[in-house]
Amino acid sequence: MSADTPLVRLTGVGKNYGNVIALRDVDLRVDAGRVTCVLGDNGAGKSTLIKIIAGLHRHDAGSYEVEGRQVAFDSPREALDRGIATVYQDLAVVPLMPVWRNFFLGSEKRRGFGRLDVEYMRRTTKAELARMGIDLRDVDQPVGTLSGGERQCVAIARAVHFGAKVLVLDEPTAALGVKQAGVVLRYIVQAREQGLGVVFITHNPHHAYPVGDRFLILNRGRSIGHHTKDQITRDQLISLMAGGAELEQLAHELETIAAGRTAARELTEETDTKPPPP
C-alpha cells in the first residue's frame, strides 16, 4: 500500500431498503492519523453509513475499498479482521462486570487448562488505558460505575489494543455533558496521534470542528458537502449542517407571520379607539 492510499475509501456508495433510498452517491475517505467527521441531522443517513463501513450491511451501489482493495463484508467480524472497529453509542458493555472483563470481553486471554489469565488481563487493561491517558482508580470496579465519558474511552482503548486501524465512533458525545464530551474529544485526538484513521459520527458541529481534519455533511441520504478543514470555517460548517437556506426561508416566513399579526393587532386597536357614530 502506497503512502497516499487511504485506509478506507467509499466512492458513489448507495443503499436502498426496498423503495426507501437511505444513501445515494456518497463519497468518504479515511486516512491514517486523520479524523473524518460525518455530520447530519436525524434521518440524514449516518446510521446506514456506519453499518456499511462496519460490515453489518452491504452497499447496493458504488465501491468500498480497504487499503486499496475492494471489499464487500458479510459480517462485522470480517470488517474487524481487516482492522475496522466500530464503537456504537450503547457501547455493548456489561455494567456489572469489572473494567478488565469488559476490556477483554469476547477475546479473553487463557492459560493452561483453559483458565482465564486474570492477572495478565488486569495488567494489560491498566497499561493500555494509561497509554491512552486514562487513569482509572481500579480496573476491578464495575464498568457501570464509570462516567459516560470514561466508558467511551475504555471502548476506544480496547479497539486500539486489539489492532484497529480504523476507529468508527457512533455519536460518542451525544448523551454527555460539556466536561465529559471534552474528555472523549481528547481521546479521539489521542487515537489520531497514534496513527489511527478515525470516523467521528456526530450531529454536533461544535464537537466535530476542533478535532476534525475532513468533514462530510449528509442530508436525507445525500452528500451536501465534503471539505477539508482549510476549506471551511466553523460558521460555514454550522450553516451547512443546519441547512442555511432552509433556515433563511424559515426566518422569512416567521417575519411575515409576525408582521401580519402586528398589522392585525394595530387594526384592532384602531377600531377599538375610534369613537362611535353620533
Side-chain angles (χ1 to χ4, degrees), residues 72-129:
F73 296 132
D74 290 318
S75 69
R77 172 55 64 180
E78 290 187 12
L80 190 58
D81 290 342
R82 294 294 298 271
I84 300 171
T86 303
V87 178
Y88 291 100
Q89 194 171 348
D90 58 12
L91 296 179
V93 296
V94 183
L96 296 180
M97 280 188 177
V99 173
W100 66 266
R101 284 298 304 270
N102 276 278
F103 193 91
F104 280 91
L105 193 62
S107 303
E108 289 81 0
K109 179 72 173 178
R110 298 182 182 274
R111 51 186 178 181
F113 304 104
R115 293 176 300 170
L116 292 176
D117 193 342
V118 175
E119 287 307 313
Y120 170 85
M121 289 189 283
R122 283 177 175 154
R123 185 173 63 253
T124 302
T125 299
K126 191 169 185 62
E128 288 300 311
L129 293 177

Side-chain angles (χ1 to χ4, degrees), residues 51-68:
K51 291 172 182 175
I52 291 173
I53 297 172
L56 191 62
H57 291 174
R58 280 196 177 196
H59 51 290
D60 297 326
S63 66
Y64 180 5
E65 298 177 10
V66 176
E67 296 179 319

